[in-house]
Amino acid sequence: QVQLIESGGGLVQPGDSLSLSCAASGGSSSRYIMAWFRQAPGMEREFVASSTRIGGNVYSTNYADSVKGRFAISRNNAKNTVYLEMNSLRVEDTAIYYCAADPASIAPRTAEGYAYWGQGTEVTVSS
């Protein structure tokens, strides 16, 4: 059983940057598909970014169009941690951000494709 704990959320202004972390325990996250999702008030949970191992220490990344070029997902396998670097934040990025993991998701851009979830960390972008 994999446990995921997110951290790093907070209140920032439009244009600011913020880095989220997701610490995994109970298994080696290096072999898992790792992803970030977010959920704004009254909205469904939506895909943000994912990182999939394609061989050795090589990973492919995938992003939602709304964050492409602004957000970056990365891993530190030695620390069993996944990060989401968020730049040029916008008011519409305000949401609770969730870390997700799955050993072999067949639908990595959907919430249903992940077996393990963190409790979420809140990001508020406001002037």
Side-chain angles (χ1 to χ4, degrees):
Q1 182 93 9
V2 175
Q3 290 86 43
L4 304 172
I5 300 177
E6 304 96 333
S7 61
L11 171 64
V12 297
Q13 295 186 336
D16 284 354
S17 298
L18 199 62
S19 182
L20 306 181
S21 299
C22 172
S25 61
S28 175
S29 64
S30 65
R31 296 179 289 111
Y32 281 64
I33 299 172
M34 301 296 296
W36 289 94
F37 286 74
R38 66 186 182 187
Q39 189 167 17
M43 305 293 286
E44 291 189 356
R45 195 167 297 190
E46 66 172 359
F47 170 80
V48 176
S50 66
S51 171
T52 304
R53 184 182 182 186
I54 58 175
N57 283 326
V58 181
Y59 295 85
S60 66
T61 56
N62 201 356
Y63 297 94
D65 288 344
S66 59
V67 306
K68 200 172 293 184
R70 299 188 299 123
F71 290 13
I73 185 171
S74 62
R75 301 178 181 237
N76 184 326
N77 291 333
K79 295 185 177 180
N80 235 11
T81 301
V82 176
Y83 305 95
L84 184 68
E85 182 70 29
M86 304 185 293
N87 299 306
S88 302
L89 281 162
R90 304 168 180 169
V91 171
E92 52 265 38
D93 294 319
T94 295
I96 297 176
Y97 283 71
Y98 296 90
C99 178
D102 197 275
S105 174
I106 62 172
R109 294 178 70 97
T110 70
E112 292 76 17
Y114 292 85
Y116 304 107
W117 291 86
Q119 83 291 344
T121 185
E122 188 167 6
V123 174
T124 303
V125 186
S126 174
S127 56

